[in-house]
Amino acid sequence: MDQPSGDALTDPPPEELIAQIALAQDKNAFATLFDAYAPRVKFFLMRQGASPDSAEELAQEVLLTVWRKASYFSSQRGSASAWIFTIARNLRIDETRRNKRARVYAMVEEFDDVDPDTPHDLVSSKEHALRVRSAIGELPVEQQEVVRLSFVEGAPHSEIAQRLKLPLGTIKSRLRLAMRRMRKSLEDLA
Amino acid sequence: MKITHHPTDETLAAFVNATLCEGNTLVVATHLAHCPACRKAVREMSEVGGGLLDKGETTPISDGAREKCLAKLDAVPPEPTEAGTPMPEAERPMSLVSLYEDGKWQWVGPGVYRKFLDVPSLEGTRVFMLKAAPGTRLPDHRHVGTEWTCVLKGAFIHDHGRFGAGDFDEADDSVAHNPYVEEGEECICLVALNGEVEMTGWLGRLIQPLLRL
Ligand SMILES: [Zn+2]
């Protein structure tokens, strides 16, 4: 599973595969995305506490959502991987709690105005993804740990504090520094 | 609309990871409805999730699951994007709040009204809108726990600055001194309260039973 960081998971890149689905209901493109992402999404969901069965069920649901919503994807908003991350998160919320939070997230995403006349900009979305990935890699180990617990395991700050036996304020400031550094790496991009 | 008070980066990260309780999620989302800068921050933070997904480990999918999934595709064809007009910006914050709105405005003190929102909470978070007439002076109060506020209309002022429409106030175990509503327009806020609020000063002690915060 070791690939040079920054390389897209698929060839052609996932953004193009999603465009192929939107344009031509391309099932081969879907199969390629499935192979690349379903096992990763399943790993994430299991780290967040899902059983192997329900993680697999949910991972399939995530990929089916990619298929159904392909035409809503816009590289103006970010990379394919970031989009798939948010789909997995939204389905997890929907699954685990009977509440309206998933609806709140969906509405906030709709507020992100995308100019339909601007063509997909694969270069900038790839550049975005690349820079964030290398910024994560360059974080000090203790910040990486908090980022991983937050983003992969979906642990609340208070739980991270307990697990690492550190004050809540320390967890927050590590996360704040990590987010700042990561956002700084994107600063000169549109 | 000029927004000057934003959630912290770690709060936005918690929003991206969906680790906030539902009430706090709603207050942050209401700020996001006002604030393109924080929406951009949220998108950038989602790239961190995407990056960790890409670089992360995998768990094998069982045999046949892919074929099962492929067989379902015809039944759920990709949806065409709706060409509908986007919701006007001014309506966005209330469109979120109204997901939970179901009560009536209740009188809590001179010029002050409150409406509870029906937000389920495991942690005992209370979520409500607070409406106060222009010029209303509120008692100094101390938070034990957290109080997150997003201003929907008008403005209030306390010793940390002026909070107008869209502004986000993340108060913790500290005292808010001399809060008052700006003259000219009533102020409506969305508030998620975890824990207790303790009024200080003689006026506060007098009206605390009334406010039942
Ligand atoms: Zn903001």
Side-chain angles (χ1 to χ4, degrees):
Chain A
M1 277 304 119
D2 235 48
Q3 79 247 322
S5 66
D7 268 5
L9 283 183
T10 57
D11 182 25
E15 288 80 9
E16 274 174 40
L17 295 171
I18 293 169
Q20 274 309 305
I21 293 174
L23 208 68
Q25 311 203 358
D26 185 338
K27 288 182 186 170
N28 289 326
F30 176 84
T32 308
L33 281 175
F34 187 97
D35 290 342
Y37 283 98
R40 290 169 192 281
V41 172
K42 183 178 175 184
F43 174 79
F44 256 53
L45 293 165
M46 284 177 64
R47 291 314 295 254
Q48 289 164 12
S51 70
D53 281 352
S54 72
E56 180 156 319
E57 195 74 29
L58 217 50
Q60 292 180 48
E61 199 54 47
V62 169
L63 270 297
L64 282 173
T65 305
V66 169
W67 168 262
R68 277 195 300 116
K69 302 279 185 194
S71 63
Y72 289 88
F73 172 73
S74 164
S75 52
Q76 289 173 45
R77 290 200 188 102
S79 69
S81 295
W83 186 53
I84 292 170
F85 169 80
T86 59
I87 292 174
R89 174 201 64 201
N90 293 359
L91 286 175
R92 172 171 62 88
I93 300 169
D94 223 13
E95 180 81 356
T96 51
R97 312 218 176 144
R98 291 270 147 251
N99 62 34
K100 296 176 185 154
R101 278 203 305 167
R103 180 86 196 99
V104 169
Y105 279 94
M107 285 171 76
V108 170
E109 280 152 30
E110 283 165 27
F111 298 152
D112 276 323
D113 319 289
V114 167
D115 178 2
D117 296 327
T118 308
H120 283 235
D121 184 354
L122 284 180
V123 180
S124 94
S125 121
K126 202 181 165 193
E127 180 66 22
H128 251 81
L130 246 161
R131 289 204 192 180
V132 169
R133 281 154 193 60
S134 68
I136 301 170
E138 285 162 13
L139 291 174
V141 181
E142 72 271 12
Q143 288 177 26
Q144 281 196 33
E145 182 177 43
V146 174
V147 166
R148 191 179 45 75
L149 288 167
S150 297
F151 284 79
V152 180
E153 309 208 5
H157 301 163
S158 54
E159 188 190 317
I160 298 174
Q162 272 174 13
R163 279 165 67 176
L164 300 182
K165 299 191 172 59
L166 287 168
L168 184 58
T170 307
I171 303 305
K172 288 187 178 184
S173 72
R174 284 183 186 176
L175 196 53
R176 180 163 58 235
L177 290 170
M179 291 301 110
R180 223 170 258 172
R181 186 176 300 208
M182 188 275 308
R183 292 182 60 197
K184 205 155 178 47
S185 73
L186 296 173
E187 234 164 33
D188 56 326
L189 288 176
Chain B
M1 175 172 18
K2 179 86 182 74
I3 297 176
T4 45
H5 302 277
H6 304 269
T8 59
D9 276 350
E10 64 270 26
T11 293
L12 292 177
F15 177 84
V16 169
N17 290 306
T19 55
L20 300 172
C21 70
E22 193 163 2
N24 286 352
T25 301
L26 177 63
V27 181
V28 173
T30 307
H31 173 78
L32 291 171
H34 289 92
C35 185
C38 285
R39 289 206 298 274
K40 180 163 177 277
V42 161
R43 287 199 302 278
E44 290 172 354
M45 290 179 190
S46 302
E47 291 293 342
V48 176
L52 291 167
L53 195 62
D54 278 10
K55 294 208 289 193
E57 294 164 57
T58 57
T59 306
I61 298 286
S62 10
D63 293 340
R66 177 185 188 250
E67 278 57 44
K68 221 173 75 190
C69 225
L70 280 164
K72 286 182 188 162
L73 297 183
D74 286 327
V76 285
E79 298 166 7
T81 38
E82 292 153 37
T85 38
M87 186 186 295
E89 268 177 55
E91 289 171 23
R92 292 171 174 185
M94 277 314 291
S95 73
L96 287 164
V97 173
S98 61
L99 286 175
Y100 297 97
E101 208 174 346
D102 97 84
K104 288 198 168 65
W105 287 107
Q106 300 162 324
W107 185 89
V108 286
V112 184
Y113 294 83
R114 178 177 55 185
K115 188 196 278 192
F116 276 105
L117 300 184
D118 184 23
V119 179
S121 169
L122 300 170
E123 300 87 357
T125 310
R126 284 158 294 168
V127 187
F128 51 87
M129 285 194 284
L130 201 64
K131 178 163 77 174
T136 305
R137 291 201 164 266
L138 298 161
D140 283 8
H141 54 283
R142 173 182 290 114
H143 304 102
V144 184
T146 62
E147 183 191 55
W148 291 9
T149 302
C150 181
V151 181
L152 298 168
K153 183 173 185 260
F156 67 80
I157 291 162
H158 61 54
D159 54 354
H160 294 135
R162 176 188 182 274
F163 294 76
D167 275 327
F168 185 88
D169 189 13
E170 198 168 326
D172 49 19
D173 301 355
S174 59
V175 182
H177 287 294
N178 301 319
Y180 64 94
V181 175
E182 199 171 67
E183 291 292 350
E185 192 182 8
E186 68 176 5
C187 178
I188 303 181
C189 297
L190 175 67
V191 184
L193 188 66
N194 295 270
E196 298 300 319
V197 167
E198 203 175 90
M199 299 300 166
T200 58
W202 67 270
L203 178 63
R205 282 194 294 276
L206 192 69
I207 73 165
Q208 177 137 35
L210 267 177
L211 282 166
R212 287 191 309 270
L213 289 174

